Amino acid sequence: MLFHVQMEVRLPHDMPAAQADDIKTREKAVAQEYQRQGKWPHLWRVAGRYANISIIDVADIDELHALLSSLPLFPYMDIRVTPLARHPSAI
């Protein structure tokens, strides 16, 4: 199943820089592994915001939740999910 996922990150302003850097490093590693596995085929940054728009390709909503909740930045994210279906006019 394909899902359109919007993620906005909101780290606490008082989070120590070293802690934020560690979380971001771990986040990058996890996200890139999901991309290598083909589960996260599209990842775009939203210009001017600490946010992204992604297409996630997983078996079902339970796998999507497991993937998203495994992200190190998950506790600091506002996430919006839209399930996608093939459009009848798509080639």
Side-chain angles (χ1 to χ4, degrees):
M1 289 185 72
L2 292 176
F3 296 91
H4 172 266
V5 182
Q6 298 173 318
M7 297 177 235
E8 180 121 17
V9 179
R10 293 191 177 95
L11 292 175
H13 297 288
D14 59 349
M15 178 180 280
Q19 182 182 358
D21 290 344
D22 176 64
I23 292 171
K24 291 174 191 177
T25 298
R26 291 186 290 120
E27 178 80 12
K28 182 177 182 177
V30 172
Q32 288 181 344
E33 180 56 29
Y34 285 133
Q35 290 173 69
R36 281 189 280 280
Q37 293 174 13
K39 295 180 183 210
W40 199 330
H42 299 282
L43 172 59
W44 295 279
R45 171 177 281 164
V46 177
R49 296 180 14 219
Y50 193 1
N52 74 69
I53 294 174
S54 297
I55 301 297
I56 308 288
D57 188 1
V58 291
D60 54 33
I61 195 75
D62 292 322
E63 185 179 2
L64 176 66
H65 181 75
L67 183 152
L68 294 173
S69 63
S70 75
L71 297 172
L73 284 170
F74 179 76
Y76 309 102
M77 288 182 178
D78 177 24
I79 300 173
R80 293 191 176 111
V81 174
T82 304
L84 300 175
R86 183 151 183 85
H87 194 283
S89 297
I91 297 175

